[in-house]
Amino acid sequence: MKYIVTFSLLTLLARSASAQIQITSSDFLSYFNSISTEQPYEATTPTDPKFQALVNLSGGLQTWSFAGPTYAAGTQTNLTISDNPTAAPLGMDPAFAGATHVLTVNGNVYEYIKVNTDGYWVLGTVSNDASGTQVISSTYTPPLQEEKFPLKSGITWSSTSNHIVAGMPAGETITVSIDGSVDGYGTLVLPGGGAFDALRTKVKNSTVTTVVIAGTTNRFTSTTNSFSWVTTQHYTAAISTDSNLNPQSASYSTPTASDVTESPTSDGALNLRLSYNPSSSSDTKLSFTLKADGPVQVEMMDALGRSVQVLQDGRASSGENIIPIDPKLYAPGSYFIRVTGDGMSAIRKLIITR
C-alpha cells in the first residue's frame, strides 16, 4: 500500500510576474516537512458540477475557484519525514538502495523515496504483518517516478514500474504507469477569500494486473487521475477522478499557525534560515546563501499572500547574507518571507507573537 502525498499538498514555489510558477525538489521537501500541520478541507459532495468544470479548465492564465461547494474539516496527516532512511526499519535492504528519505505514516508504516534535483521516486514500503513483524510490504522495480523537477508550465513526464506486493500469488504481476503534466497556470481562489498564483498538475495513474489461470492470461486495468493546484503560500487544492474524468473527491488545504518549517537543503536552494521563529520582541535574522553575486528580492507577505514589505531589492554578494527583521514593526500573526535569487526562489514562514 502506498502513502504518497501528491502535489495537491505541495507548496513553497518560485513565482514569476506572469504567474508561471515553478516547483523545485527543495520546494517539494520543504512542504513534506510541514505537511502534518496543514489543515485539509474535504468536499461533502464531490459530484458537484463545479468540480467537473474545474477539471475541464486547463491552459494558461485560468481562474480556478473552489468557492461555493460545501466542505468539512478533514484529519491532519500523521506523517513525518527523515533524511536518514538507513536508520529506519529494513532501511539497509537492497530494495531501498538509493533512497534519500523515508516517510513514516501513523508511526508504523515506512515509505522509502528518492528525491533529487530531477524528480521524486517511490522505492517501496515497510509495514507490520499479521504477527506485528516489520516486513517489506511492497517494492517498485525500477523505482516509480511520481514527479519531475522543476515542474513548470508545459512539462511532461512518464514512468513505468513493476509493483511487487508481499504475498502475491504465483503468476500474478502488477505494472504501474505514471503519466504526468503541468497543464495549466493562473489563479486559485479558495473558500473564505484569498486568490493565489497557482500551477496545475495532472497525473494519470494506470495499473495493469496480469493473472495466469489454467494457462489463460487475464489482464485487469484500472485508471485514476489527480489534478493538483499549488500556490506560493501553502494554500493548495486537489480533485481526484475516475478514468472518465468524473470527480470522485475534492479538497483544499490551508496553513496553520504551527506551520513553521526549515527546508532541507539537499539541492542547495538558497539555504534560508530564521534565527528566532516564532519571534516576539527580539530581532530575528533571516539568512540566505548565494552561489554568485547577483540581484536578489526579499519580500514579506501576509497569510493571504499580499505584500507587506520588500526587505531587499537589489544586488547581493555571494556567500551568506543576513537581513534583520524587527517583529515589533508588525502585527502578531503569520507571515511568509520569499527570497528570489540565483535563479531560484524559496520561502520561510515567520510567526510573530506578543
Side-chain angles (χ1 to χ4, degrees), residues 309-326:
Q309 184 178 2
V310 176
L311 302 174
Q312 180 172 338
D313 190 6
R315 293 189 65 82
S317 302
S318 62
E320 185 179 35
N321 292 263
I322 297 176
I323 298 177
I325 299 173
D326 184 355

Side-chain angles (χ1 to χ4, degrees), residues 223-292:
T223 301
T224 59
N225 297 275
S226 60
F227 296 84
S228 307
W229 288 262
V230 287
T231 74
T232 59
Q233 297 91 24
H234 277 208
Y235 292 85
T236 62
I239 297 176
S240 296
T241 76
D242 60 17
S243 59
N244 295 317
L245 300 182
N246 297 312
Q248 304 294 298
S249 66
S251 62
Y252 71 94
S253 66
T254 64
T256 64
S258 61
D259 182 11
V260 180
T261 66
E262 284 292 338
S263 288
T265 56
S266 58
D267 64 359
L270 299 177
N271 196 21
L272 266 62
R273 293 289 186 270
L274 284 165
S275 59
Y276 294 102
N277 196 9
S279 181
S280 55
S281 58
S282 300
D283 283 7
T284 184
K285 292 180 174 60
L286 170 73
S287 64
F288 59 92
T289 303
L290 297 180
K291 296 178 181 178

Side-chain angles (χ1 to χ4, degrees), residues 146 155-158 178-182 202-204:
E146 292 276 344
I155 200 170
T156 63
W157 69 97
S158 61
I178 292 287
D179 291 292
S181 65
V182 178
K202 175 186 177 183
V203 175
K204 179 181 179 181

Side-chain angles (χ1 to χ4, degrees), residues 95 122-123 139-144 160-164:
V122 183
L123 281 68
T139 58
Y140 292 85
T141 309
L144 183 67
T160 299
S161 177
N162 295 318
H163 187 192
I164 311 301

Side-chain angles (χ1 to χ4, degrees), residues 201-219:
T201 65
K202 175 186 177 183
V203 175
K204 179 181 179 181
N205 185 308
S206 300
T207 301
V208 179
T209 302
T210 303
V211 181
V212 179
I213 302 176
T216 301
T217 300
N218 302 274
R219 289 185 175 85

